[in-house]
Amino acid sequence: MTAAAAIMLCVGCTTEAPRTEALLNQSDYQTQIDGKPVDLYTLQSEGITMQVTNYGARIAGLWVPDRDGNKVDVVLGYPTIDQHLNGDGYAGPIVGRYGNRIGKGKFSLDGVEYQTTINNGENHLHGGIGGWSTHAWNVDNVGDNTITMSYLSADGEEGYPGNVIITVTYTLAGNDLILDYRATTDAPTVLNPTSHCYFNLHGDSEVSTNSHVLRINAAEYTPTDAGLIPTGEIATLEGTPLDFRTATVIGERIEEDFEALKFGAGYDHNFVLDKSTPNEAGLTEAAVVYEPANGIEMSILTDQVALQFYSGNFFDGTSIGKGDKPLCYRAGIALEAQGYPDAPNHDNFPSRVLRPGEEYTQQTIYRFATK
Ligand code: GAL
């Protein structure tokens, strides 16, 4: 189906009110991948219910209250593990080793050139063909409201140097989903892990997220070439349709005649976050997204320096997700807290190098409220 046909198809089914979804069946997620057991875990806090699988440390469902108290599943995904294996591989996982893109998959570190897998045009995306999202992670700890998973990314995997151990803990607390990352390596390497959920605050993959109102706490972005590889420039957002410092409906300017919007086929850009007012924990507010129809608001707080905002431009309605509904054109947004794309090839970007003896840490919080 062409994207245009998918838009037509999706436009016809945009009127349904948000519904309260049933939880996913654990048995539909039980299998073996990489010789390891894969399962589905259900976590609960006062406000949030989350289902997560250790396949790619993936968030499979995330139910938050709307303004009427209905629980709405605000992430896109699939009802079974088989559908995840055959569907959009980036629905909910942790992506790495290097999330986002590396130009031509090449980088030099300490004078040695490395070639990572090419899987996106002529570039490397989200850790390559066999990136972290494609593997079964170990489940190290599970509680009622928390789970810790880890993965050993071996030296040479997808072309990267060094054995890296990545650990991610998801914790639900009140209306917060807290993500804590830790990583160590036994040889110098680069990494840029991020959570890759497609959020749809309507809780309906047939209803466009163009209606969401978005604010991003960034005054600058990193312009790219047509393959979405940064040129190295750090440019002002002032006067562009990418400036979200004032809360704006996503669909309002998405079709404007602006080169960066053409390259991304919509929003698909790296925003340089304003880090000037951190809270006591060192986190700054990166973005706030709100859906007027049901009052759900999500804020993202992070210690990361950048946020990739992707407006679901590649969904074409052919992949069938939860509730037997297609993942429609622009019916999911990714808001990925991370470092800059292609940083290993730009000395003026904050470094993403990790060396033996150092520990990489990241904390990002998705905070839900209603208005
Ligand atoms: C996003 C990326 C998009 C697209 C998407 C996966 O993180 O910015 O360009 O690759 O992942 O389809």
Side-chain angles (χ1 to χ4, degrees), residues 88 90 95 100-101 120 125-126 194 196 198 228 264 267-269 308-310 313-315 334 336 338:
D88 186 310
Y90 303 122
V95 291
N100 215 313
R101 290 176 173 81
N120 186 249
L125 174 72
H126 294 333
T194 189
H196 203 287
Y198 296 118
L228 300 183
Y267 292 106
D268 199 352
H269 305 100
Q308 182 83 14
F309 165 40
Y310 165 64
N313 314 312
F314 301 132
F315 294 129
E336 308 156 47
Q338 55 186 247

